[in-house]
Amino acid sequence: MPAADASVVVPAREEGSRLERTLDSLAAQLFDGRLEVIVVASDATTERVARAQPAVDRVVVDDRRAGPGPARNLGAAVAGGEVVLFTDADTVVPPRWVRRHYRHYATPEVVGVGGPLRPLEGGLRHRALFRVLSDWWYRACWPVGFVQQPGCNCSVRRTAFEAIGGFDDDLQFLEDTDLSLRLAREGPVVYDHACPVETSTRRQNRVGYARLFWTYLVGYLEYVLPGSSPTRDYF
């Protein structure tokens, strides 16, 4: 099998039908190069769903179940592509998602790419708040250096990813923000506002937007304070 041009890593735990939708969207990618899809499965049901999807090239069993960052590192460790993309098992990507990420790496200095999130479920409230919190917030923050590639819509150049040691295995929260900020020291990280993905609103429905906003605000403060670290578990 020839080496991949781009690899997609999908960490998945107890996802089932949601993972099927994600993998169907990856199977429909309009990408001219060689695409590799890797699922990091943390339970037997997820592993079975992943192995049944023809678009999946490799299934990595995650016995540690240590969280999304370590799971993404496991997938990246076996990926063959020079460009590695990450999405989640409750996310649906558009047909040109890989192509849009990949084209940015034609610029040799680019080390990472991120894009906005849209709600997978309908409703004006979800659409409006996602637009503010998962698009306009990024547009405002990136130019001032607060780079935040969302874990379900980001990609990295392999050499830069390896140079910074990948995701921090010790972080259970804001691990994607931490990766982005460290990656930005290696070179430009691009925000492509025209490359959205649709992701589940189950977290927003369960936690609520106000509590979610406060949780992230506290997490950001813990992250930037010397000698401190975000303490919130992944949710």
Side-chain angles (χ1 to χ4, degrees):
M1 183 180 294
D5 296 300
S7 302
V8 179
V9 174
V10 186
R13 181 177 180 180
E14 298 176 0
E15 292 295 352
S17 61
R18 284 186 289 266
L19 176 60
E20 290 181 352
R21 284 193 300 182
T22 301
L23 296 178
D24 286 343
S25 70
L26 290 172
Q29 288 300 295
L30 301 174
F31 180 60
D32 296 330
R34 157 74 181 155
L35 178 63
E36 172 188 48
V37 176
I38 300 165
V39 175
V40 182
S42 299
D43 64 279
T45 300
T46 300
E47 181 184 354
R48 184 169 61 253
V49 170
R51 294 192 187 281
Q53 169 58 260
V56 175
D57 296 280
R58 185 161 186 172
V59 177
V60 178
V61 177
D62 179 13
D63 293 324
R64 293 175 56 197
R65 300 186 180 186
R72 294 185 187 114
N73 284 338
L74 284 175
V78 301
E82 173 55 26
V83 173
V84 182
L85 301 94
F86 299 96
T87 192
D88 287 343
D90 61 354
T91 301
V92 174
V93 302
R96 291 176 174 80
W97 179 66
V98 173
R99 180 186 293 179
R100 286 200 65 96
H101 273 263
Y102 190 79
R103 70 174 188 168
H104 289 288
Y105 295 94
T107 302
E109 294 79 14
V110 170
V111 296
V113 179
L117 311 181
R118 301 283 186 265
L120 189 55
E121 293 81 15
L124 178 61
R125 176 169 169 267
H126 285 310
R127 292 197 300 272
L129 288 171
F130 262 71
R131 179 72 72 171
V132 172
L133 300 175
S134 299
D135 185 3
W136 294 351
W137 169 253
Y138 296 149
R139 297 194 198 204
C141 291
W142 285 44
V144 297
F146 193 31
V147 179
Q148 300 172 270
Q149 294 167 281
C152 62
N153 188 10
C154 71
S155 63
V156 297
R157 191 182 295 276
R158 169 190 290 283
T159 50
F161 182 79
E162 292 176 346
I164 65 171
F167 289 92
D168 186 339
D169 281 350
D170 293 330
L171 284 179
Q172 292 293 307
F173 182 44
L174 297 182
E175 78 290 338
D176 46 5
T177 298
D178 172 73
L179 176 88
S180 303
L181 291 170
R182 289 186 289 113
L183 193 65
R185 299 170 193 161
E186 301 294 313
V189 179
V190 176
Y191 181 65
D192 188 341
H193 67 85
C195 185
V197 302
E198 295 181 319
T199 194
S200 173
T201 62
R202 56 183 172 166
R203 183 187 301 176
Q204 287 77 8
N205 291 331
R206 183 176 71 250
V207 178
Y209 281 98
R211 183 181 168 196
L212 199 62
F213 178 80
W214 176 254
T215 300
Y216 271 92
L217 178 61
V218 171
Y220 292 145
L221 291 174
E222 289 177 334
Y223 181 80
V224 300
L225 287 175
S228 183
S229 179
T231 56
R232 183 68 162 86
D233 287 338
Y234 185 72
F235 60 99

